[in-house]
Amino acid sequence: MIPNSQRETQLIDPLFAMPLIFVVTLGLSFGLTVLVRKVALQRGLVDEPGEERRVHRVPIPRLGGLAMFAAFAVGVLLTFVFDIRAGKSGNAAFEGSRVLLMLLGAGIITLVMAVDDIRGLRPVTRLIWQIGSALLVIIPSLIWPGGPNVITPLDGSPPFIETPGTRHYDQGAGVLALTVQNPFGGSIEMPLVIAVLFTIVWLVGMTNTINWIDGLDGLAAGVSVVACGVLFWITGFVVEQWTLAYLPLILGAAILGFLPFNIHPARIFMGDSGAMFLGFTLAVIAIIGGAKLAAALLVLGVPILDAIYLVIYRLYRGQSPMSPDRAHLHHRLLDLGFSQQQVVLIFYALSATFGVLGLLLPSGLLKLIALLAMATILVGLLIYIARRKFDRVSAQK
């Protein structure tokens, strides 16, 4: 997993550090969730029922996202304490910078959205902070790009260094998705301006996507855990970037410590602070150290397609894409008579199924076919829901 020469320079063996950090993060998240819930109840920081889109019937404390972020931050910082990245050189030495930027951006998102949970912020204000956090992690890539790499030819000839002056903006100090997988083989490198815009849209879009599915007990948290599991497997066992595999593992531990309090009937909500923290962090993890966007698109495909549908639906009705309503897929399934637990299990099953496909399918083309199949299933489901509603209205007449 990790070369012996590198292990000797580290404070602790990664084989021991990984389970240790997981357990510490899990336990800290659990304990902090208890504490946050107690404080929220004492101060009246609860989510009141009443709005059409809310499905709970009693006041529920919120701000659980603060507990998850704090536990995640401690887990990430422990990777620096244990110096798991010892021995990295060249462009790989920028990894620590990218991880810290991710943590800083996620922290800003969490704190700003905690203010939103307590006092409420205008949608445009939230969007500005989201874009600002995205730029925070992107801009360092443009200022301090990666340099020439050492290339090892596949034909067995001696390694060589790329031409002096070569710049790899996606391997620098920041986070940038410069290339995307070509479904027909290889990868496509985007022009730098397009790459920056694409990365902003990806980060902001994912931040809101997880927030939009946080409408039922345990839904956003459980789907995010599935995503963390898939990203951990790909980053570690497939790509063999074990120092980066810590990130989805730690994030998953932070969610698992919170989840027992969030499953139905929920005793605490993560709030916008938690949902947007999860969305932003998952989006960065999918890019950092080499794009894993195809896997993220598959495992989070249903929430992403639901988010795209919502944006189009709201714009068609002349509403702001950021305005809350009851048009989410999980709300529509509830309206059909499914219970909260059943809807959540449907989302879990779909995310897990397509996540496993993301692990098993070898080529970009097959993954594209799987994504198209998912889109077809979702469109069919929406048509079915619309038809059932029409039938109900006709029967009432």
Side-chain angles (χ1 to χ4, degrees):
M1 182 184 298
I2 304 293
N4 290 331
S5 59
Q6 183 174 331
R7 291 183 187 177
E8 293 173 358
T9 64
Q10 294 175 325
L11 180 63
I12 187 171
D13 193 310
L15 292 175
F16 176 70
M18 186 170 282
L20 175 62
I21 293 175
F22 178 87
V23 171
V24 169
T25 305
L26 177 68
L28 189 59
S29 176
F30 187 93
L32 288 175
T33 300
V34 174
L35 178 61
V36 169
R37 182 177 183 274
K38 180 179 179 181
V39 172
L41 286 172
Q42 290 175 344
R43 297 182 176 272
L45 301 175
V46 297
D47 204 346
E48 297 285 354
E51 291 185 31
E52 182 185 8
R53 64 191 178 94
R54 302 189 187 279
V55 298
H56 59 285
R57 297 291 178 261
V58 296
I60 304 293
R62 52 181 182 261
L63 296 175
L66 295 178
M68 286 193 293
F69 171 75
F72 175 73
V74 170
V76 171
L77 293 176
L78 282 176
T79 66
F80 288 90
V81 172
F82 294 151
D83 200 17
I84 67 165
R85 299 172 187 86
K88 285 186 175 290
S89 60
N91 291 338
F94 283 114
E95 181 183 308
S97 169
R98 292 193 290 268
V99 171
L100 289 176
L101 280 172
M102 175 201 66
L103 191 60
L104 179 59
I108 292 173
I109 287 286
T110 304
L111 292 177
V112 170
M113 299 310 158
V115 174
D116 179 54
D117 287 329
I118 296 172
R119 300 181 179 179
L121 296 175
R122 295 173 57 197
V124 65
T125 303
R126 304 198 310 175
L127 181 60
I128 289 172
W129 278 102
Q130 292 167 11
I131 295 174
S133 298
L135 289 173
L136 175 68
V137 301
I138 292 171
I139 289 177
S141 294
L142 310 179
I143 300 175
W144 299 287
N149 286 316
V150 177
I151 306 298
T152 303
L154 297 177
D155 59 6
S157 55
F160 64 93
I161 300 177
E162 290 180 310
T163 304
T166 300
R167 295 183 178 183
H168 293 282
Y169 290 98
D170 57 342
Q171 298 178 31
V175 177
L176 184 66
L178 188 62
T179 60
V180 293
Q181 189 175 22
N182 185 342
F184 303 100
S187 59
I188 301 173
E189 184 170 330
M190 295 178 283
L192 187 58
V193 173
I194 301 299
V196 170
L197 293 176
F198 174 84
T199 306
I200 292 174
V201 171
W202 171 256
L203 295 176
V204 173
M206 281 294 297
T207 299
N208 287 287
T209 293
I210 300 300
N211 186 48
W212 286 343
I213 66 167
D214 185 33
L216 300 180
D217 297 346
L219 180 55
V223 169
S224 297
V225 165
V226 175
C228 287
V230 172
L231 291 174
F232 168 74
W233 186 273
I234 292 176
T235 307
F237 291 97
V238 178
V239 186
E240 295 188 348
Q241 294 177 329
W242 286 102
T243 55
L244 289 173
Y246 275 84
L247 300 179
L249 184 75
I250 294 169
L251 183 62
I255 301 170
L256 288 172
F258 166 80
L259 189 56
F261 302 93
N262 189 234
I263 57 176
H264 187 73
R267 287 176 283 170
I268 187 172
F269 292 151
M270 65 175 68
D272 288 355
S273 57
M276 292 194 183
F277 153 63
L278 293 181
F280 181 87
T281 308
L282 283 170
V284 173
I285 291 174
I287 295 174
I288 197 168
K292 306 168 189 69
L293 300 183
L297 281 171
L298 280 172
V299 71
L300 297 172
V302 172
I304 290 172
L305 290 171
D306 185 39
I308 294 172
Y309 163 79
L310 280 173
V311 170
I312 296 173
Y313 174 81
R314 290 168 179 171
L315 289 175
Y316 176 77
R317 299 187 62 182
Q319 300 175 335
S320 166
M322 308 294 289
S323 61
D325 56 29
R326 196 180 168 84
H328 299 273
L329 177 60
H330 53 268
H331 286 139
R332 292 170 179 262
L333 290 173
L334 284 178
D335 293 339
L336 284 181
F338 289 95
S339 67
Q340 279 205 54
Q341 296 95 322
Q342 289 172 332
V343 174
V344 169
L345 288 175
I346 289 172
F347 271 79
Y348 287 1
L350 288 173
S351 297
T353 299
F354 286 101
V356 170
L357 287 176
L359 294 174
L360 298 179
L361 296 179
S363 72
L365 180 59
L366 291 177
K367 289 182 179 179
L368 176 62
I369 293 173
L371 186 59
L372 292 175
M374 180 193 301
T376 302
I377 292 172
L378 183 59
V379 170
L381 185 58
L382 291 172
I383 293 174
Y384 169 75
I385 292 172
R387 183 65 185 174
R388 284 290 300 273
K389 285 189 174 182
F390 176 79
D391 291 342
R392 286 187 177 186
V393 172
S394 299
Q396 291 174 357
K397 290 181 179 179

